[in-house]
Amino acid sequence: MIWNETKECMSRDEMTALQSKRLVKLVDYVYHNVEFYRKKMQAIDLMPGDIKGIEDITKLPFTTKDDLRDNYPFGLFAVPNSEIVRIHASSGTTGKATVVGYTRYDLDVWSECVARCLTMAGVGKDDIVQVAYGYGLFTGGLGAHGGAEKIGATVVPMSTGNSKKLTTMMVDFGATAIACTPSYLLHISEVLAAEGLLDKIKLKAAVCGAEPWTEKMRHEIEQRLNIKAYDIYGLSEIMGPGVACDCAFHRGLHVCEDHFLPEILDTATLTPVADGVTGELAFTTLTKEGIPMIRYRTKDLTSIDHSRCECGRTSARISRFKGRVDDMLIIRGVNVFPSQVEAALIEVEEVTPHYMMIVDRVNNLDTLEIQVELDPKYYTDEIRAIETMTKKISHVIQQALGINAKIKIVEPQTLVRSEGKAVHVIDKRKLY
Ligand code: DLL
């Protein structure tokens, strides 16, 4: 298929026209090439001709992660395996892996989208980019890699696993950009500080994503490393990193909406909500050949803004993620997102942004313990000081979450640092 009609900075009408044209073609494509979609459409008496533009999107059925698992491994592919040139997969915590396949054209689109994101972060052909997302079945490493190569940057495929080597090479190679998870970058900043290398780096930009993080955490990273940090979003079912990224104005993430049509859905009714209203993000892949997705429910919570950005780009922007529908903890009836804890802790000067939430149930009552690390320069054995600090943090958490939590202050460097997606929650209630 040839999809090559994209023009930069289209007007909203031009974008709608392009999306509509592509959607019509896509629906016809999946109807004739993926039995799963054909059966789903037949079940509701929907024919490809009934979809005339994006205004008809709500007529189409949703797709979920379970659909991918139920059709494991290749059941949703629209092309024979001879056309598939790459497989990625994500395992999740339960069930079978979700497997995705890319044609050569899909890989081209992917690197184009990541290249757009890196360009938004000011990264170009003169930069030396350390890619420190995991390489392998996870899309982070190879996805970022493809985009960085596309813009002609010098790519250093570090992957994860050896922070000391990474920091040494960051200095020796004069790396100017890094792509990794925000939590890993915080860890790298600690390693650089411990090695006395902070003033020897040439880093100017970081493109961070794959996990929720807050605006405050971005500032923290920027301050520690004296760089600019950008938020990149994506998911393997849709493509991988590069579905959206924020620009220098940080007023939401620009969606590559010529390739991915976003919808924000009311979490209860699954009907589209207005701009600015938070709901579940769904995507329809407008150009994907290997494994096209129709109204894929991401479970990620965000809102959308279709107005023109100060940077001049006209693409729709999704706000920084509030969490996932299924990350949401319900503790004593209150909805709690780990990102709220992170945002609250970052307000407390004496603690680091590393934390672990342990949720349990004692005598039928939910309990929440939050383990936090003090900044080494504030760490003390003095019981009185620890008590005062604990009280202070309890208050901040109570204000942020609306529930009480037991705060446990742990010694610096105690909590496990992640190299990939950070794990911030142990929910023991699920074990019963
Ligand atoms: O995490 C792809 C990726 C790699 C994105 C590197 C950015 C950078 P999955 O493993 O399929 O793919 O996980 C996708 O991660 O649905 C979100 O819940 C979360 N996520 C990804 N980026 C962000 C972000 C990759 N910038 C899931 N902010 C998504 C918040 C994010 N959450």
Side-chain angles (χ1 to χ4, degrees), residues 133 138-140 210-212 231-236 241 300 324 421:
Y133 289 114
F138 175 54
T139 53
E211 63 186 12
D231 192 2
I232 187 168
Y233 168 80
L235 62 166
S236 56
D300 291 318
R324 282 177 58 80
K421 292 171 192 273

Side-chain angles (χ1 to χ4, degrees), residues 54-69:
I54 59 168
E55 66 282 4
D56 292 326
I57 188 87
T58 54
K59 292 181 182 166
L60 290 160
F62 292 111
T63 311
T64 65
K65 209 177 189 65
D66 283 341
D67 292 326
L68 276 138
R69 291 208 181 102

Side-chain angles (χ1 to χ4, degrees), residues 64-79:
T64 65
K65 209 177 189 65
D66 283 341
D67 292 326
L68 276 138
R69 291 208 181 102
D70 293 346
N71 289 281
Y72 174 89
F74 304 146
L76 296 191
F77 286 14
V79 295

Side-chain angles (χ1 to χ4, degrees), residues 121-123 127-128 130 170 174-182 184-186 188-189 192 197-208 213 215-231 248 250:
V123 180
D127 283 295
I128 299 178
Q130 282 185 307
M170 186 182 275
T176 51
I178 187 162
C180 63
T181 60
Y184 189 39
L185 193 50
L186 272 179
I188 289 168
S189 73
L192 284 164
L197 296 176
L198 271 177
D199 57 353
K200 296 196 172 60
I201 58 171
K202 297 223 170 71
L203 212 59
K204 58 174 195 182
V207 185
C208 297
W213 54 313
E215 198 52 21
K216 294 261 166 57
M217 188 158 163
R218 190 169 68 75
H219 290 310
E220 175 88 22
I221 287 173
E222 290 189 334
Q223 240 172 21
R224 284 190 189 193
L225 293 167
N226 192 22
I227 60 167
K228 294 280 171 218
Y230 297 83
D231 192 2
H250 302 296

Side-chain angles (χ1 to χ4, degrees), residues 96-148:
K96 285 194 175 124
T98 48
V99 180
V100 288
Y102 303 75
T103 64
R104 197 165 293 287
Y105 175 77
D106 292 334
L107 290 185
D108 282 348
V109 171
W110 188 5
S111 49
E112 154 77 26
C113 292
V114 175
R116 289 184 197 173
C117 298
L118 292 171
T119 308
M120 270 190 253
V123 180
K125 64 187 278 300
D126 296 327
D127 283 295
I128 299 178
V129 184
Q130 282 185 307
V131 176
Y133 289 114
Y135 279 66
L137 288 174
F138 175 54
T139 53
L142 284 163
H145 187 114

Side-chain angles (χ1 to χ4, degrees), residues 2 32 89 109 120 127 184 222 253 301 310 314 343-344 346 354 380 382 385 429:
I2 308 283
H32 290 103
V109 171
M120 270 190 253
D127 283 295
Y184 189 39
E222 290 189 334
L253 288 78
L301 292 170
E310 279 176 73
T314 51
I346 231 147
H354 301 287
T380 161
E382 217 245 292
R429 296 174 301 180

